[in-house]
Structure formats: structure tokens, C-alpha cells
Amino acid sequence: TRERKKMLEEWKDFVGNLATICTIAMFLSGLEQCAKFYKNKTTGEMSPMSFLVGVVMTFVWFTYGRLKGDASLYTVNGVGFVLQSVFAVFFYMYAVNRTNMMKKLLLVSFILASLHLVINNTQPSEIQDRIGLLGALMSVSYCASPLATVRLVIRTKSAETLPFFQILMTCIVTGLWTIYGNIIADSFVHVPNLIGFLIAIFQLAHQ
């Protein structure tokens, strides 16, 4: 109804700003990993994929937010893109296999350049939904990655592999973006975050 729509609009900026702040706070958790790399002078067994996927995903969502003209989306993902890029470079500096990491960085750079080229040579009205769909699919895949850990927890009946604070933050962040996606009536934002929220709730239940 019109009244419900008006009420949701009144909450849009508040929820968007809160989601942005909480998401940036979660992005900053990568600083802890970088501090460990610096202290140990090596990345050890850790995979760089979370940073590399983060670079591509935040670029896609930043672009979608810019095309859509949504300040909350492009602000949070613009900051996220810069942070994830810095983390990826920092990972390279202390990588066990620098040559392999350089290949991955070059692949990510090629993907970003290709996306940028396609976006700049396509009408915004035509490309917006495609970029939104790409962002949604990447987000669902990213959210689904912890399911392997959940299976391990169920099999071993031990929650040691699940970092409580990280899961709690994921729950809060995806919950806020689910609400925001509902407010702006955007299923590309709403659906993947709802899936991420449900996965986080499932993980919390096994703590």
C-alpha cells in the first residue's frame, strides 16, 4: 500500500547508513589477517580467494550501485573495493608462492578490465540488470562457501572451526541488507542477503 511504501521510504536512509557502517566494520576485519601476515612474515596455509573474490564482487556491486544511483550501495562497495584490493596486495607481499599469487592478481585485473570495458560500451539501461544479476550470483556463491564448514561441524559435532564474532557480524550485515533490499524493492540485493542471513543463523545455531 501507499502508506507502507511511505513508511519504508522513511527508514531507507537509516537502514542504508547502518548497513554501510556495519559492512565497512566487517571489511576492516581483514586488517587482523594482514597483521598476522606481517607478524609471521608469511601467509602460511591461508588461501587468498576471499580477498580476490572480494575485489571482484565489490567492484560489481559498486558498479551496480552507481548505475542504479544508490548512494548506500556504491559507497559501501567503493570502500570495500579499496580495502579488498589493499588486502590482496598485502597478501602478495607475504605470499608463500608469489608467482602463483601474481598470476591470480593478473587474472583478477583482467576480469575487472573486461567488465569495465563491457559496462562503458553498453547502455546503462541494458547493462544494469545484468550487473545486478552477476552481483547476486557472486554473493550467493560467496555466502554458500561457509556451508563446507557447517558440514564439518555437523560431522565432527564441534564448532571450533566457526568464528562466532564473524558469523554474528555476517548475520547482522546480511540481515540489514535484506531489509534494505526489501525497502528499495530490489531482489538483486534482497535475495542473496536473505540467503546469507539464513546461512549465518544456521551457523549460529550450531555454536
mmCIF file with all atom_site columns, all heavy atoms in Angstrom, residues 16 23-24 31 47 69 73 95 103 115 131 138 160 171 190-191:
data_model
loop_
_atom_site.group_PDB
_atom_site.id
_atom_site.type_symbol
_atom_site.label_atom_id
_atom_site.label_alt_id
_atom_site.label_comp_id
_atom_site.label_asym_id
_atom_site.label_entity_id
_atom_site.label_seq_id
_atom_site.pdbx_PDB_ins_code
_atom_site.Cartn_x
_atom_site.Cartn_y
_atom_site.Cartn_z
_atom_site.occupancy
_atom_site.B_iso_or_equiv
_atom_site.pdbx_formal_charge
_atom_site.auth_seq_id
_atom_site.auth_comp_id
_atom_site.auth_asym_id
_atom_site.auth_atom_id
_atom_site.pdbx_PDB_model_num
ATOM 1   N N   . GLY A 1 16  ? 20.054 1.994   5.379   1.00 0.00 ? 16  GLY A N   1
ATOM 2   C CA  . GLY A 1 16  ? 21.171 2.025   4.430   1.00 0.00 ? 16  GLY A CA  1
ATOM 3   C C   . GLY A 1 16  ? 22.469 2.481   5.084   1.00 0.00 ? 16  GLY A C   1
ATOM 4   O O   . GLY A 1 16  ? 23.529 1.872   4.873   1.00 0.00 ? 16  GLY A O   1
ATOM 5   N N   . THR A 1 23  ? 28.905 -2.990  7.492   1.00 0.00 ? 23  THR A N   1
ATOM 6   C CA  . THR A 1 23  ? 29.622 -3.720  6.436   1.00 0.00 ? 23  THR A CA  1
ATOM 7   C C   . THR A 1 23  ? 31.079 -3.282  6.368   1.00 0.00 ? 23  THR A C   1
ATOM 8   O O   . THR A 1 23  ? 31.983 -4.122  6.242   1.00 0.00 ? 23  THR A O   1
ATOM 9   C CB  . THR A 1 23  ? 28.947 -3.507  5.064   1.00 0.00 ? 23  THR A CB  1
ATOM 10  O OG1 . THR A 1 23  ? 27.571 -3.866  5.164   1.00 0.00 ? 23  THR A OG1 1
ATOM 11  C CG2 . THR A 1 23  ? 29.610 -4.376  3.997   1.00 0.00 ? 23  THR A CG2 1
ATOM 12  N N   . ILE A 1 24  ? 31.317 -1.970  6.456   1.00 0.00 ? 24  ILE A N   1
ATOM 13  C CA  . ILE A 1 24  ? 32.698 -1.466  6.429   1.00 0.00 ? 24  ILE A CA  1
ATOM 14  C C   . ILE A 1 24  ? 33.472 -1.995  7.642   1.00 0.00 ? 24  ILE A C   1
ATOM 15  O O   . ILE A 1 24  ? 34.640 -2.381  7.532   1.00 0.00 ? 24  ILE A O   1
ATOM 16  C CB  . ILE A 1 24  ? 32.724 0.075   6.383   1.00 0.00 ? 24  ILE A CB  1
ATOM 17  C CG1 . ILE A 1 24  ? 32.217 0.555   5.014   1.00 0.00 ? 24  ILE A CG1 1
ATOM 18  C CG2 . ILE A 1 24  ? 34.140 0.612   6.632   1.00 0.00 ? 24  ILE A CG2 1
ATOM 19  C CD1 . ILE A 1 24  ? 32.003 2.053   4.905   1.00 0.00 ? 24  ILE A CD1 1
ATOM 20  N N   . LEU A 1 31  ? 42.068 -6.471  8.333   1.00 0.00 ? 31  LEU A N   1
ATOM 21  C CA  . LEU A 1 31  ? 43.282 -5.886  8.914   1.00 0.00 ? 31  LEU A CA  1
ATOM 22  C C   . LEU A 1 31  ? 43.934 -6.846  9.909   1.00 0.00 ? 31  LEU A C   1
ATOM 23  O O   . LEU A 1 31  ? 45.159 -6.887  10.036  1.00 0.00 ? 31  LEU A O   1
ATOM 24  C CB  . LEU A 1 31  ? 42.952 -4.565  9.617   1.00 0.00 ? 31  LEU A CB  1
ATOM 25  C CG  . LEU A 1 31  ? 42.594 -3.378  8.718   1.00 0.00 ? 31  LEU A CG  1
ATOM 26  C CD1 . LEU A 1 31  ? 42.107 -2.208  9.555   1.00 0.00 ? 31  LEU A CD1 1
ATOM 27  C CD2 . LEU A 1 31  ? 43.787 -2.963  7.860   1.00 0.00 ? 31  LEU A CD2 1
ATOM 28  N N   . SER A 1 47  ? 44.315 -19.247 2.103   1.00 0.00 ? 47  SER A N   1
ATOM 29  C CA  . SER A 1 47  ? 44.021 -19.011 0.688   1.00 0.00 ? 47  SER A CA  1
ATOM 30  C C   . SER A 1 47  ? 43.710 -17.532 0.461   1.00 0.00 ? 47  SER A C   1
ATOM 31  O O   . SER A 1 47  ? 43.059 -16.897 1.294   1.00 0.00 ? 47  SER A O   1
ATOM 32  C CB  . SER A 1 47  ? 42.818 -19.863 0.259   1.00 0.00 ? 47  SER A CB  1
ATOM 33  O OG  . SER A 1 47  ? 42.359 -19.451 -1.018  1.00 0.00 ? 47  SER A OG  1
ATOM 34  N N   . GLY A 1 69  ? 22.193 4.490   -9.100  1.00 0.00 ? 69  GLY A N   1
ATOM 35  C CA  . GLY A 1 69  ? 22.150 5.773   -8.405  1.00 0.00 ? 69  GLY A CA  1
ATOM 36  C C   . GLY A 1 69  ? 21.833 5.618   -6.933  1.00 0.00 ? 69  GLY A C   1
ATOM 37  O O   . GLY A 1 69  ? 21.188 6.481   -6.324  1.00 0.00 ? 69  GLY A O   1
ATOM 38  N N   . LEU A 1 73  ? 24.723 1.671   -1.734  1.00 0.00 ? 73  LEU A N   1
ATOM 39  C CA  . LEU A 1 73  ? 25.375 0.568   -2.436  1.00 0.00 ? 73  LEU A CA  1
ATOM 40  C C   . LEU A 1 73  ? 26.745 0.951   -2.978  1.00 0.00 ? 73  LEU A C   1
ATOM 41  O O   . LEU A 1 73  ? 27.713 0.199   -2.824  1.00 0.00 ? 73  LEU A O   1
ATOM 42  C CB  . LEU A 1 73  ? 24.482 0.052   -3.578  1.00 0.00 ? 73  LEU A CB  1
ATOM 43  C CG  . LEU A 1 73  ? 23.255 -0.773  -3.194  1.00 0.00 ? 73  LEU A CG  1
ATOM 44  C CD1 . LEU A 1 73  ? 22.431 -1.112  -4.427  1.00 0.00 ? 73  LEU A CD1 1
ATOM 45  C CD2 . LEU A 1 73  ? 23.670 -2.057  -2.472  1.00 0.00 ? 73  LEU A CD2 1
ATOM 46  N N   . ALA A 1 95  ? 53.060 -13.696 0.466   1.00 0.00 ? 95  ALA A N   1
ATOM 47  C CA  . ALA A 1 95  ? 52.623 -14.993 -0.057  1.00 0.00 ? 95  ALA A CA  1
ATOM 48  C C   . ALA A 1 95  ? 53.767 -16.007 -0.085  1.00 0.00 ? 95  ALA A C   1
ATOM 49  O O   . ALA A 1 95  ? 54.922 -15.651 -0.361  1.00 0.00 ? 95  ALA A O   1
ATOM 50  C CB  . ALA A 1 95  ? 52.046 -14.820 -1.457  1.00 0.00 ? 95  ALA A CB  1
ATOM 51  N N   . LYS A 1 103 ? 49.904 -14.388 -10.666 1.00 0.00 ? 103 LYS A N   1
ATOM 52  C CA  . LYS A 1 103 ? 49.031 -14.876 -11.747 1.00 0.00 ? 103 LYS A CA  1
ATOM 53  C C   . LYS A 1 103 ? 47.565 -14.623 -11.396 1.00 0.00 ? 103 LYS A C   1
ATOM 54  O O   . LYS A 1 103 ? 46.772 -14.200 -12.244 1.00 0.00 ? 103 LYS A O   1
ATOM 55  C CB  . LYS A 1 103 ? 49.256 -16.376 -11.982 1.00 0.00 ? 103 LYS A CB  1
ATOM 56  C CG  . LYS A 1 103 ? 50.577 -16.709 -12.637 1.00 0.00 ? 103 LYS A CG  1
ATOM 57  C CD  . LYS A 1 103 ? 50.752 -18.219 -12.765 1.00 0.00 ? 103 LYS A CD  1
ATOM 58  C CE  . LYS A 1 103 ? 52.114 -18.578 -13.351 1.00 0.00 ? 103 LYS A CE  1
ATOM 59  N NZ  . LYS A 1 103 ? 52.316 -20.057 -13.382 1.00 0.00 ? 103 LYS A NZ  1
ATOM 60  N N   . LEU A 1 115 ? 35.193 -6.259  -17.489 1.00 0.00 ? 115 LEU A N   1
ATOM 61  C CA  . LEU A 1 115 ? 33.900 -5.770  -17.008 1.00 0.00 ? 115 LEU A CA  1
ATOM 62  C C   . LEU A 1 115 ? 33.763 -4.273  -17.268 1.00 0.00 ? 115 LEU A C   1
ATOM 63  O O   . LEU A 1 115 ? 32.717 -3.805  -17.733 1.00 0.00 ? 115 LEU A O   1
ATOM 64  C CB  . LEU A 1 115 ? 33.754 -6.047  -15.501 1.00 0.00 ? 115 LEU A CB  1
ATOM 65  C CG  . LEU A 1 115 ? 33.417 -7.486  -15.091 1.00 0.00 ? 115 LEU A CG  1
ATOM 66  C CD1 . LEU A 1 115 ? 33.544 -7.652  -13.577 1.00 0.00 ? 115 LEU A CD1 1
ATOM 67  C CD2 . LEU A 1 115 ? 31.991 -7.845  -15.526 1.00 0.00 ? 115 LEU A CD2 1
ATOM 68  N N   . ILE A 1 131 ? 24.384 -6.637  -14.525 1.00 0.00 ? 131 ILE A N   1
ATOM 69  C CA  . ILE A 1 131 ? 25.377 -6.439  -13.455 1.00 0.00 ? 131 ILE A CA  1
ATOM 70  C C   . ILE A 1 131 ? 24.766 -6.820  -12.107 1.00 0.00 ? 131 ILE A C   1
ATOM 71  O O   . ILE A 1 131 ? 25.422 -7.433  -11.263 1.00 0.00 ? 131 ILE A O   1
ATOM 72  C CB  . ILE A 1 131 ? 25.867 -4.973  -13.430 1.00 0.00 ? 131 ILE A CB  1
ATOM 73  C CG1 . ILE A 1 131 ? 26.689 -4.671  -14.691 1.00 0.00 ? 131 ILE A CG1 1
ATOM 74  C CG2 . ILE A 1 131 ? 26.702 -4.691  -12.185 1.00 0.00 ? 131 ILE A CG2 1
ATOM 75  C CD1 . ILE A 1 131 ? 27.983 -5.455  -14.805 1.00 0.00 ? 131 ILE A CD1 1
ATOM 76  N N   . MET A 1 138 ? 27.227 -13.914 -7.555  1.00 0.00 ? 138 MET A N   1
ATOM 77  C CA  . MET A 1 138 ? 28.504 -13.943 -6.839  1.00 0.00 ? 138 MET A CA  1
ATOM 78  C C   . MET A 1 138 ? 28.276 -13.945 -5.327  1.00 0.00 ? 138 MET A C   1
ATOM 79  O O   . MET A 1 138 ? 28.953 -14.662 -4.585  1.00 0.00 ? 138 MET A O   1
ATOM 80  C CB  . MET A 1 138 ? 29.367 -12.740 -7.230  1.00 0.00 ? 138 MET A CB  1
ATOM 81  C CG  . MET A 1 138 ? 29.931 -12.824 -8.629  1.00 0.00 ? 138 MET A CG  1
ATOM 82  S SD  . MET A 1 138 ? 31.173 -11.540 -8.925  1.00 0.00 ? 138 MET A SD  1
ATOM 83  C CE  . MET A 1 138 ? 32.535 -12.136 -7.927  1.00 0.00 ? 138 MET A CE  1
ATOM 84  N N   . GLU A 1 160 ? 34.394 -25.507 16.647  1.00 0.00 ? 160 GLU A N   1
ATOM 85  C CA  . GLU A 1 160 ? 35.656 -24.768 16.767  1.00 0.00 ? 160 GLU A CA  1
ATOM 86  C C   . GLU A 1 160 ? 36.048 -24.045 15.486  1.00 0.00 ? 160 GLU A C   1
ATOM 87  O O   . GLU A 1 160 ? 36.757 -23.047 15.509  1.00 0.00 ? 160 GLU A O   1
ATOM 88  C CB  . GLU A 1 160 ? 36.789 -25.719 17.190  1.00 0.00 ? 160 GLU A CB  1
ATOM 89  C CG  . GLU A 1 160 ? 36.660 -26.181 18.637  1.00 0.00 ? 160 GLU A CG  1
ATOM 90  C CD  . GLU A 1 160 ? 37.775 -27.141 19.025  1.00 0.00 ? 160 GLU A CD  1
ATOM 91  O OE1 . GLU A 1 160 ? 38.674 -27.361 18.188  1.00 0.00 ? 160 GLU A OE1 1
ATOM 92  O OE2 . GLU A 1 160 ? 37.739 -27.672 20.137  1.00 0.00 ? 160 GLU A OE2 1
ATOM 93  N N   . CYS A 1 171 ? 25.624 -12.183 10.172  1.00 0.00 ? 171 CYS A N   1
ATOM 94  C CA  . CYS A 1 171 ? 24.185 -12.251 10.435  1.00 0.00 ? 171 CYS A CA  1
ATOM 95  C C   . CYS A 1 171 ? 23.580 -10.844 10.467  1.00 0.00 ? 171 CYS A C   1
ATOM 96  O O   . CYS A 1 171 ? 22.553 -10.577 9.838   1.00 0.00 ? 171 CYS A O   1
ATOM 97  C CB  . CYS A 1 171 ? 23.949 -12.970 11.766  1.00 0.00 ? 171 CYS A CB  1
ATOM 98  S SG  . CYS A 1 171 ? 22.213 -13.293 12.115  1.00 0.00 ? 171 CYS A SG  1
ATOM 99  N N   . HIS A 1 190 ? 18.054 -8.036  -2.152  1.00 0.00 ? 190 HIS A N   1
ATOM 100 C CA  . HIS A 1 190 ? 17.263 -8.738  -1.122  1.00 0.00 ? 190 HIS A CA  1
ATOM 101 C C   . HIS A 1 190 ? 17.561 -10.240 -1.041  1.00 0.00 ? 190 HIS A C   1
ATOM 102 O O   . HIS A 1 190 ? 17.864 -10.772 0.035   1.00 0.00 ? 190 HIS A O   1
ATOM 103 C CB  . HIS A 1 190 ? 15.770 -8.514  -1.398  1.00 0.00 ? 190 HIS A CB  1
ATOM 104 C CG  . HIS A 1 190 ? 14.852 -9.243  -0.480  1.00 0.00 ? 190 HIS A CG  1
ATOM 105 N ND1 . HIS A 1 190 ? 14.561 -8.794  0.799   1.00 0.00 ? 190 HIS A ND1 1
ATOM 106 C CD2 . HIS A 1 190 ? 14.166 -10.407 -0.627  1.00 0.00 ? 190 HIS A CD2 1
ATOM 107 C CE1 . HIS A 1 190 ? 13.737 -9.654  1.376   1.00 0.00 ? 190 HIS A CE1 1
ATOM 108 N NE2 . HIS A 1 190 ? 13.485 -10.628 0.527   1.00 0.00 ? 190 HIS A NE2 1
ATOM 109 N N   . VAL A 1 191 ? 17.481 -10.927 -2.175  1.00 0.00 ? 191 VAL A N   1
ATOM 110 C CA  . VAL A 1 191 ? 17.558 -12.400 -2.184  1.00 0.00 ? 191 VAL A CA  1
ATOM 111 C C   . VAL A 1 191 ? 18.909 -12.959 -1.712  1.00 0.00 ? 191 VAL A C   1
ATOM 112 O O   . VAL A 1 191 ? 18.948 -13.794 -0.810  1.00 0.00 ? 191 VAL A O   1
ATOM 113 C CB  . VAL A 1 191 ? 17.183 -12.966 -3.577  1.00 0.00 ? 191 VAL A CB  1
ATOM 114 C CG1 . VAL A 1 191 ? 17.407 -14.475 -3.632  1.00 0.00 ? 191 VAL A CG1 1
ATOM 115 C CG2 . VAL A 1 191 ? 15.728 -12.643 -3.898  1.00 0.00 ? 191 VAL A CG2 1
#
